[in-house]
Amino acid sequence: MNHTTSYQSNSLHIQKKYSTACLTFIYTEMAPSLDNRSSLFNFVVRDGNGVKGIVDAGISKVPQAYIQPPAEQIDKKNASKCEVPPIDLSRLAGPDQDEVAKEIVKTAETLGFFQVVNHGVPVDLLESLKDAAHNFFGLPAERKAVYLKEVSPTPLVKYGTSFVPAKEKALEWKDYISMVYTNDAEVLQHWPIECREVALEYLKTSLDMVKKLLEVLMENLEVKLDDSKIDALIGRKTVNMNYYPTCPNPELTVGVGRHTDMGTLTVLLQDGIGGLYVKVRDDADIDKKGEWVEIPPVPGALVINVGDMLQILSNGKYKSAEHRVRTTSTKSRVSIPIFTIPKPTEKIGPLPQVVQKDGIARYREFVLADYMNNFFGNPHDGKRSLDFARI
């Protein structure tokens, strides 16, 4: 080895040591005391570092603030997989239309969750969407924190972590960005540049499928809704990107706690890692009553689930699905849901045609904004959100 090579090698070694020392110093200065809930809360929630911030700081165990009570922890070893095959939506346009409609109705009445293939959303778009989510959450914390609710330059975009962290006994192991759709021009101006185009394309190519599914479900109730009424049921549309960083102790945490979705129908893109669990109702006319079953990822498929509004509109015939998400120690996971709900000013209640047939209304009428305030003002707690409207 000549003197120049030796000098370069030593210089490189010193630079590496210096860089490591600087990095250690930075994390020591920035990272919170993980045992101090107030310090952790400020770092993760208020300052916008999120769960990713504490994972990047090199933790080897889950902070106490994220440890769920034993009853809420997810036992992966003893959970079974949902064995309902995906529904091929291309068959809705052919001679099997009635059979496919029955499959959709049955799953909406029992589990409240089903997967669909040949749904009209290009599969390469779904792959680009997952990449865009990883790219966004890979940004430095300060780039994401500009969208924190208190400082976001637009009401259309909100970045955050957990669900209602100020009120939760145990935090959820999830960061997210939530993007509300108004019109294309505003979206292209305000949604984050890292994901705006692909997220908008995902939303627009999914809407025909959502409308088709609603038509099938309404027809089964013997309710004929024109296009304007269908549009009213999905008048507010939001695309979320959820990020679940790797977790050192997945068995102690949850990515998302037990809850139902508030809206009409949810469209969800899972990645290949898995971790979505749905509870089979005790009175469901299917196997595994009372159990939590995993919805396994199917390449190219989208997950559809019934929300609270559809349960209320159908007077309880369709069931919003209680679900939750597990964390993983092997790889960070993303999921991208589209939430379709009525506009906040809409009056919602059971459809009159259904009430007439049932002879009783099981839910009261309300303005959606009031339901939203109740839903987003409380921590996740199973199907309790429906109590707001229950008679």
Tab-separated table of all heavy atoms in Angstrom, residues 84-124:
chain	number	residue	atom	x	y	z
A	84	VAL	N	-62.425	-16.149	2.416
A	84	VAL	CA	-63.362	-15.730	1.365
A	84	VAL	C	-62.542	-15.287	0.155
A	84	VAL	O	-61.727	-14.359	0.261
A	84	VAL	CB	-64.255	-14.565	1.851
A	84	VAL	CG1	-65.185	-14.109	0.740
A	84	VAL	CG2	-65.041	-14.968	3.094
A	85	PRO	N	-62.704	-15.922	-1.006
A	85	PRO	CA	-61.902	-15.542	-2.176
A	85	PRO	C	-62.286	-14.162	-2.691
A	85	PRO	O	-63.427	-13.712	-2.491
A	85	PRO	CB	-62.227	-16.633	-3.202
A	85	PRO	CG	-63.535	-17.193	-2.780
A	85	PRO	CD	-63.638	-17.036	-1.295
A	86	PRO	N	-61.357	-13.470	-3.360
A	86	PRO	CA	-61.691	-12.155	-3.926
A	86	PRO	C	-62.826	-12.259	-4.944
A	86	PRO	O	-62.977	-13.286	-5.616
A	86	PRO	CB	-60.392	-11.718	-4.618
A	86	PRO	CG	-59.320	-12.544	-4.013
A	86	PRO	CD	-59.953	-13.838	-3.616
A	87	ILE	N	-63.620	-11.200	-5.039
A	87	ILE	CA	-64.724	-11.151	-5.996
A	87	ILE	C	-64.226	-10.506	-7.295
A	87	ILE	O	-63.616	-9.436	-7.269
A	87	ILE	CB	-65.899	-10.345	-5.405
A	87	ILE	CG1	-66.450	-11.057	-4.162
A	87	ILE	CG2	-67.002	-10.142	-6.443
A	87	ILE	CD1	-67.469	-10.252	-3.378
A	88	ASP	N	-64.489	-11.185	-8.411
A	88	ASP	CA	-64.069	-10.696	-9.726
A	88	ASP	C	-65.138	-9.747	-10.264
A	88	ASP	O	-66.202	-10.172	-10.714
A	88	ASP	CB	-63.869	-11.889	-10.669
A	88	ASP	CG	-63.373	-11.477	-12.038
A	88	ASP	OD1	-63.379	-10.267	-12.339
A	88	ASP	OD2	-62.993	-12.372	-12.821
A	89	LEU	N	-64.849	-8.445	-10.201
A	89	LEU	CA	-65.865	-7.454	-10.584
A	89	LEU	C	-66.116	-7.398	-12.088
A	89	LEU	O	-67.151	-6.874	-12.516
A	89	LEU	CB	-65.462	-6.061	-10.082
A	89	LEU	CG	-65.521	-5.848	-8.562
A	89	LEU	CD1	-65.273	-4.393	-8.217
A	89	LEU	CD2	-66.858	-6.292	-7.972
A	90	SER	N	-65.203	-7.955	-12.888
A	90	SER	CA	-65.451	-7.952	-14.338
A	90	SER	C	-66.679	-8.812	-14.678
A	90	SER	O	-67.331	-8.604	-15.699
A	90	SER	CB	-64.222	-8.463	-15.096
A	90	SER	OG	-64.001	-9.841	-14.838
A	91	ARG	N	-67.022	-9.745	-13.790
A	91	ARG	CA	-68.171	-10.629	-14.033
A	91	ARG	C	-69.511	-9.914	-13.840
A	91	ARG	O	-70.565	-10.441	-14.203
A	91	ARG	CB	-68.090	-11.852	-13.115
A	91	ARG	CG	-66.882	-12.749	-13.416
A	91	ARG	CD	-66.661	-13.779	-12.322
A	91	ARG	NE	-67.780	-14.700	-12.216
A	91	ARG	CZ	-68.232	-15.203	-11.064
A	91	ARG	NH1	-67.668	-14.852	-9.912
A	91	ARG	NH2	-69.242	-16.033	-11.048
A	92	LEU	N	-69.468	-8.698	-13.259
A	92	LEU	CA	-70.711	-7.925	-13.102
A	92	LEU	C	-71.269	-7.496	-14.450
A	92	LEU	O	-72.444	-7.148	-14.559
A	92	LEU	CB	-70.453	-6.674	-12.246
A	92	LEU	CG	-70.676	-6.782	-10.736
A	92	LEU	CD1	-70.316	-5.479	-10.065
A	92	LEU	CD2	-72.097	-7.203	-10.380
A	93	ALA	N	-70.420	-7.508	-15.474
A	93	ALA	CA	-70.864	-7.057	-16.800
A	93	ALA	C	-71.266	-8.215	-17.705
A	93	ALA	O	-71.523	-8.020	-18.878
A	93	ALA	CB	-69.743	-6.255	-17.457
A	94	GLY	N	-71.325	-9.436	-17.161
A	94	GLY	CA	-71.628	-10.596	-18.001
A	94	GLY	C	-72.794	-11.410	-17.483
A	94	GLY	O	-73.578	-10.948	-16.638
A	95	PRO	N	-72.892	-12.656	-17.940
A	95	PRO	CA	-74.015	-13.520	-17.557
A	95	PRO	C	-74.018	-13.916	-16.076
A	95	PRO	O	-75.037	-14.367	-15.562
A	95	PRO	CB	-73.829	-14.759	-18.452
A	95	PRO	CG	-72.394	-14.732	-18.861
A	95	PRO	CD	-72.002	-13.302	-18.915
A	96	ASP	N	-72.857	-13.732	-15.391
A	96	ASP	CA	-72.778	-14.093	-13.963
A	96	ASP	C	-73.156	-12.935	-13.046
A	96	ASP	O	-72.906	-12.988	-11.845
A	96	ASP	CB	-71.345	-14.542	-13.614
A	96	ASP	CG	-70.912	-15.755	-14.417
A	96	ASP	OD1	-71.793	-16.543	-14.797
A	96	ASP	OD2	-69.698	-15.903	-14.661
A	97	GLN	N	-73.746	-11.895	-13.610
A	97	GLN	CA	-74.018	-10.672	-12.850
A	97	GLN	C	-74.780	-10.942	-11.540
A	97	GLN	O	-74.407	-10.450	-10.481
A	97	GLN	CB	-74.819	-9.705	-13.723
A	97	GLN	CG	-75.168	-8.403	-13.028
A	97	GLN	CD	-75.964	-7.475	-13.933
A	97	GLN	OE1	-76.211	-7.797	-15.093
A	97	GLN	NE2	-76.375	-6.341	-13.408
A	98	ASP	N	-75.848	-11.735	-11.605
A	98	ASP	CA	-76.660	-11.989	-10.407
A	98	ASP	C	-75.875	-12.731	-9.335
A	98	ASP	O	-75.993	-12.429	-8.144
A	98	ASP	CB	-77.917	-12.786	-10.782
A	98	ASP	CG	-78.892	-11.956	-11.606
A	98	ASP	OD1	-78.689	-10.720	-11.681
A	98	ASP	OD2	-79.835	-12.532	-12.180
A	99	GLU	N	-75.066	-13.683	-9.770
A	99	GLU	CA	-74.269	-14.464	-8.822
A	99	GLU	C	-73.245	-13.582	-8.114
A	99	GLU	O	-73.057	-13.676	-6.893
A	99	GLU	CB	-73.551	-15.588	-9.592
A	99	GLU	CG	-72.775	-16.553	-8.706
A	99	GLU	CD	-71.935	-17.524	-9.525
A	99	GLU	OE1	-72.322	-17.858	-10.670
A	99	GLU	OE2	-70.874	-17.928	-9.023
A	100	VAL	N	-72.590	-12.699	-8.868
A	100	VAL	CA	-71.594	-11.793	-8.281
A	100	VAL	C	-72.269	-10.804	-7.326
A	100	VAL	O	-71.756	-10.517	-6.241
A	100	VAL	CB	-70.825	-11.036	-9.390
A	100	VAL	CG1	-69.834	-10.040	-8.783
A	100	VAL	CG2	-70.084	-12.015	-10.286
A	101	ALA	N	-73.435	-10.299	-7.724
A	101	ALA	CA	-74.180	-9.375	-6.855
A	101	ALA	C	-74.519	-10.047	-5.521
A	101	ALA	O	-74.409	-9.426	-4.457
A	101	ALA	CB	-75.452	-8.908	-7.558
A	102	LYS	N	-74.897	-11.330	-5.584
A	102	LYS	CA	-75.205	-12.068	-4.338
A	102	LYS	C	-73.975	-12.190	-3.450
A	102	LYS	O	-74.062	-12.100	-2.229
A	102	LYS	CB	-75.745	-13.465	-4.679
A	102	LYS	CG	-77.206	-13.474	-5.062
A	102	LYS	CD	-77.671	-14.881	-5.416
A	102	LYS	CE	-79.081	-14.867	-6.008
A	102	LYS	NZ	-79.440	-16.152	-6.629
A	103	GLU	N	-72.816	-12.421	-4.051
A	103	GLU	CA	-71.565	-12.510	-3.274
A	103	GLU	C	-71.274	-11.197	-2.562
A	103	GLU	O	-70.900	-11.177	-1.378
A	103	GLU	CB	-70.387	-12.850	-4.202
A	103	GLU	CG	-70.368	-14.262	-4.752
A	103	GLU	CD	-69.214	-14.450	-5.748
A	103	GLU	OE1	-68.142	-13.849	-5.546
A	103	GLU	OE2	-69.399	-15.183	-6.745
A	104	ILE	N	-71.446	-10.096	-3.281
A	104	ILE	CA	-71.189	-8.765	-2.702
A	104	ILE	C	-72.138	-8.514	-1.536
A	104	ILE	O	-71.730	-8.095	-0.449
A	104	ILE	CB	-71.350	-7.671	-3.787
A	104	ILE	CG1	-70.230	-7.796	-4.830
A	104	ILE	CG2	-71.353	-6.282	-3.164
A	104	ILE	CD1	-70.462	-6.989	-6.094
A	105	VAL	N	-73.419	-8.806	-1.759
A	105	VAL	CA	-74.439	-8.578	-0.726
A	105	VAL	C	-74.165	-9.443	0.504
A	105	VAL	O	-74.217	-8.955	1.648
A	105	VAL	CB	-75.847	-8.862	-1.295
A	105	VAL	CG1	-76.874	-8.983	-0.182
A	105	VAL	CG2	-76.245	-7.766	-2.283
A	106	LYS	N	-73.846	-10.701	0.285
A	106	LYS	CA	-73.633	-11.612	1.422
A	106	LYS	C	-72.475	-11.145	2.304
A	106	LYS	O	-72.577	-11.147	3.533
A	106	LYS	CB	-73.367	-13.032	0.935
A	106	LYS	CG	-73.276	-14.014	2.106
A	106	LYS	CD	-72.944	-15.426	1.712
A	106	LYS	CE	-72.829	-16.282	2.977
A	106	LYS	NZ	-72.349	-17.633	2.700
A	107	THR	N	-71.373	-10.744	1.683
A	107	THR	CA	-70.229	-10.305	2.498
A	107	THR	C	-70.532	-8.981	3.210
A	107	THR	O	-70.091	-8.756	4.331
A	107	THR	CB	-68.958	-10.168	1.647
A	107	THR	OG1	-69.234	-9.351	0.510
A	107	THR	CG2	-68.455	-11.512	1.185
A	108	ALA	N	-71.309	-8.104	2.557
A	108	ALA	CA	-71.679	-6.833	3.192
A	108	ALA	C	-72.613	-7.065	4.377
A	108	ALA	O	-72.610	-6.300	5.345
A	108	ALA	CB	-72.333	-5.905	2.171
A	109	GLU	N	-73.422	-8.130	4.307
A	109	GLU	CA	-74.377	-8.439	5.385
A	109	GLU	C	-73.723	-9.200	6.538
A	109	GLU	O	-74.261	-9.219	7.649
A	109	GLU	CB	-75.525	-9.289	4.839
A	109	GLU	CG	-76.467	-8.535	3.925
A	109	GLU	CD	-77.558	-9.436	3.343
A	109	GLU	OE1	-77.399	-10.681	3.367
A	109	GLU	OE2	-78.564	-8.887	2.853
A	110	THR	N	-72.592	-9.843	6.281
A	110	THR	CA	-71.991	-10.706	7.308
A	110	THR	C	-70.686	-10.120	7.842
A	110	THR	O	-70.651	-9.528	8.913
A	110	THR	CB	-71.763	-12.125	6.752
A	110	THR	OG1	-71.041	-12.033	5.503
A	110	THR	CG2	-73.081	-12.837	6.519
A	111	LEU	N	-69.624	-10.236	7.066
A	111	LEU	CA	-68.306	-9.785	7.536
A	111	LEU	C	-68.132	-8.278	7.392
A	111	LEU	O	-67.458	-7.646	8.197
A	111	LEU	CB	-67.212	-10.524	6.748
A	111	LEU	CG	-65.786	-10.425	7.276
A	111	LEU	CD1	-65.686	-10.979	8.699
A	111	LEU	CD2	-64.812	-11.163	6.370
A	112	GLY	N	-68.741	-7.694	6.340
A	112	GLY	CA	-68.566	-6.257	6.110
A	112	GLY	C	-67.270	-5.924	5.394
A	112	GLY	O	-66.944	-4.744	5.207
A	113	PHE	N	-66.514	-6.942	5.024
A	113	PHE	CA	-65.219	-6.783	4.346
A	113	PHE	C	-65.159	-7.761	3.192
A	113	PHE	O	-65.573	-8.908	3.330
A	113	PHE	CB	-64.080	-7.157	5.300
A	113	PHE	CG	-63.268	-6.001	5.801
A	113	PHE	CD1	-63.688	-5.281	6.910
A	113	PHE	CD2	-62.073	-5.646	5.197
A	113	PHE	CE1	-62.941	-4.221	7.400
A	113	PHE	CE2	-61.320	-4.587	5.675
A	113	PHE	CZ	-61.751	-3.867	6.775
A	114	PHE	N	-64.639	-7.341	2.043
A	114	PHE	CA	-64.360	-8.286	0.964
A	114	PHE	C	-63.268	-7.715	0.071
A	114	PHE	O	-62.990	-6.509	0.095
A	114	PHE	CB	-65.619	-8.625	0.153
A	114	PHE	CG	-66.388	-7.445	-0.392
A	114	PHE	CD1	-66.233	-7.032	-1.708
A	114	PHE	CD2	-67.310	-6.759	0.416
A	114	PHE	CE1	-66.962	-5.959	-2.216
A	114	PHE	CE2	-68.040	-5.683	-0.081
A	114	PHE	CZ	-67.864	-5.284	-1.412
A	115	GLN	N	-62.617	-8.584	-0.691
A	115	GLN	CA	-61.584	-8.154	-1.625
A	115	GLN	C	-62.115	-8.264	-3.050
A	115	GLN	O	-62.941	-9.133	-3.343
A	115	GLN	CB	-60.324	-8.996	-1.463
A	115	GLN	CG	-59.718	-8.882	-0.062
A	115	GLN	CD	-58.252	-9.279	-0.022
A	115	GLN	OE1	-57.393	-8.599	-0.567
A	115	GLN	NE2	-57.948	-10.378	0.637
A	116	VAL	N	-61.627	-7.369	-3.920
A	116	VAL	CA	-62.065	-7.387	-5.312
A	116	VAL	C	-60.856	-7.371	-6.250
A	116	VAL	O	-59.829	-6.759	-5.945
A	116	VAL	CB	-62.991	-6.187	-5.638
A	116	VAL	CG1	-64.303	-6.284	-4.879
A	116	VAL	CG2	-62.312	-4.847	-5.346
A	117	VAL	N	-61.002	-8.066	-7.370
A	117	VAL	CA	-59.999	-8.030	-8.438
A	117	VAL	C	-60.705	-7.631	-9.739
A	117	VAL	O	-61.925	-7.605	-9.790
A	117	VAL	CB	-59.295	-9.403	-8.607
A	117	VAL	CG1	-58.414	-9.708	-7.404
A	117	VAL	CG2	-60.315	-10.518	-8.835
A	118	ASN	N	-59.919	-7.311	-10.751
A	118	ASN	CA	-60.479	-6.790	-12.011
A	118	ASN	C	-61.437	-5.629	-11.721
A	118	ASN	O	-62.565	-5.575	-12.206
A	118	ASN	CB	-61.181	-7.898	-12.800
A	118	ASN	CG	-60.181	-8.951	-13.277
A	118	ASN	OD1	-59.067	-8.617	-13.672
A	118	ASN	ND2	-60.574	-10.211	-13.222
A	119	HIS	N	-60.934	-4.706	-10.913
A	119	HIS	CA	-61.740	-3.606	-10.380
A	119	HIS	C	-61.649	-2.335	-11.219
A	119	HIS	O	-62.333	-1.353	-10.942
A	119	HIS	CB	-61.290	-3.295	-8.956
A	119	HIS	CG	-59.807	-3.429	-8.769
A	119	HIS	ND1	-58.888	-2.693	-9.472
A	119	HIS	CD2	-59.096	-4.273	-7.980
A	119	HIS	CE1	-57.666	-3.040	-9.103
A	119	HIS	NE2	-57.752	-4.009	-8.208
A	120	GLY	N	-60.779	-2.325	-12.226
A	120	GLY	CA	-60.676	-1.154	-13.083
A	120	GLY	C	-59.570	-0.191	-12.716
A	120	GLY	O	-59.315	0.782	-13.434
A	121	VAL	N	-58.895	-0.439	-11.572
A	121	VAL	CA	-57.755	0.404	-11.188
A	121	VAL	C	-56.482	-0.301	-11.669
A	121	VAL	O	-56.244	-1.445	-11.267
A	121	VAL	CB	-57.702	0.626	-9.661
A	121	VAL	CG1	-56.573	1.589	-9.307
A	121	VAL	CG2	-59.043	1.150	-9.145
A	122	PRO	N	-55.675	0.333	-12.521
A	122	PRO	CA	-54.495	-0.346	-13.063
A	122	PRO	C	-53.553	-0.840	-11.970
A	122	PRO	O	-53.259	-0.102	-11.012
A	122	PRO	CB	-53.823	0.748	-13.911
A	122	PRO	CG	-54.898	1.726	-14.229
A	122	PRO	CD	-55.829	1.702	-13.051
A	123	VAL	N	-53.091	-2.067	-12.097
A	123	VAL	CA	-52.225	-2.676	-11.079
A	123	VAL	C	-50.895	-1.934	-10.987
A	123	VAL	O	-50.349	-1.768	-9.882
A	123	VAL	CB	-52.008	-4.183	-11.378
A	123	VAL	CG1	-50.986	-4.783	-10.425
A	123	VAL	CG2	-53.334	-4.935	-11.254
A	124	ASP	N	-50.361	-1.432	-12.110
A	124	ASP	CA	-49.085	-0.696	-12.032
A	124	ASP	C	-49.263	0.630	-11.284
A	124	ASP	O	-48.334	1.117	-10.626
A	124	ASP	CB	-48.473	-0.482	-13.420
A	124	ASP	CG	-49.391	0.277	-14.375
A	124	ASP	OD1	-50.581	0.445	-14.051
A	124	ASP	OD2	-48.913	0.698	-15.450
